[in-house]
Amino acid sequence: MKDYLKNLNIKEDITSIPNLLSLFRLFLIFPYLIVILNAEKRTDFYLAAAIIVASGLTDFLDGYVARNYNQITNLGKVLDPVADKLTQLALAFSLIKFYPEMLLVALVLVGKECFMLITGIIFINKGLVLNGAKWFGKIATASLYIGMFGLLIWPHNSIQIIKVVVAIMLFFLCLSWLLYAREYILMYRKEETK
């Protein structure tokens, strides 16, 4: 972990286009929260959804620019997922105001991300790192964004629809958590047999 932190060149890396886009995504959390937590009319929900769309576009752009223009940095490897996770958490917790059922999604999301952070740090200290996001993590992220975005642009749904959307998000979050735990167990066993 100390070696990884030594390789961070914050002064140079902060000015790369992908990292500036990630910082912009972090900034977008604040106007989103102001709009959604004060939302009264349907147009307020649409504005909050538009901010999330802008955040998603910058997420796509920072990855595209980093990969295609050789601007991948160690800072970006930290900043991009932090922006993703904080945006997801802001969405999940802010929607509890309108959909109390979202509390369970928010708590599972926090549990999963704490597990990933703690396990990741433990494994980095052992010199082991997972090779990028796995397909099940990407599906969980997609289901979260689609579900929460749907709740934003179609506010005041019936309780049955809300429960189905929440159940789908919970299913994919839990599946991702279990499969990541399995990946870490397999990686640990493989290292132990060396």
Side-chain angles (χ1 to χ4, degrees):
M1 185 72 166
K2 290 177 186 174
D3 293 335
Y4 186 82
L5 293 173
K6 284 181 190 175
N7 291 332
L8 287 178
N9 191 349
I10 294 174
K11 285 184 181 178
E12 282 184 31
D13 293 347
I14 201 78
T15 57
S16 74
I17 291 171
N19 292 339
L20 290 173
L21 289 169
S22 291
L23 287 171
F24 180 66
R25 206 156 20 114
L26 283 168
F27 166 78
L28 285 177
I29 293 170
F30 298 104
Y32 163 77
L33 287 172
I34 290 167
V35 170
I36 196 65
L37 294 177
N38 294 297
E40 294 176 357
K41 301 175 292 207
R42 189 174 288 266
T43 53
D44 297 331
F45 286 89
Y46 294 159
L47 178 57
I51 294 169
I52 295 304
V53 168
S55 177
L57 289 173
T58 58
D59 186 20
F60 169 77
L61 280 174
D62 78 43
Y64 178 82
V65 171
R67 285 186 300 274
N68 292 303
Y69 295 94
N70 197 25
Q71 292 190 23
I72 296 172
T73 64
N74 284 333
L75 178 63
K77 290 176 187 177
V78 173
L79 200 54
D80 180 59
V82 166
D84 288 343
K85 301 312 172 194
L86 289 178
T87 301
Q88 290 171 16
L89 289 168
L91 270 161
F93 279 101
S94 66
L95 287 173
I96 294 169
K97 178 179 178 181
F98 308 99
Y99 308 103
E101 301 80 5
M102 281 297 297
L103 178 60
L104 191 54
V105 173
L107 293 176
V108 171
L109 181 60
V110 167
K112 175 186 171 279
E113 294 309 324
C114 286
F115 166 80
M116 295 295 291
L117 177 66
I118 293 165
T119 309
I121 290 170
I122 291 167
F123 275 74
I124 285 172
N125 284 329
K126 293 177 177 281
L128 302 170
V129 180
L130 273 180
N131 294 333
K134 303 295 181 190
W135 65 269
F136 40 84
K138 291 180 180 183
I139 289 175
T141 299
S143 75
L144 272 177
Y145 276 117
I146 291 167
M148 292 189 290
F149 186 77
L151 293 174
L152 276 176
I153 60 171
W154 290 295
H156 317 299
N157 283 304
S158 72
I159 190 68
Q160 291 82 8
I161 291 174
I162 294 165
K163 285 182 178 179
V164 168
V165 170
V166 166
I168 290 169
M169 289 187 285
L170 282 172
F171 172 77
F172 285 112
L173 263 177
C174 291
L175 177 66
S176 173
W177 191 348
L178 288 170
L179 293 176
Y180 271 118
R182 180 178 170 267
E183 288 289 320
Y184 278 115
I185 290 167
L186 291 173
M187 195 164 59
Y188 177 77
R189 286 181 180 164
K190 186 177 179 182
E191 187 64 22
E192 286 295 301
T193 60
K194 284 184 180 179

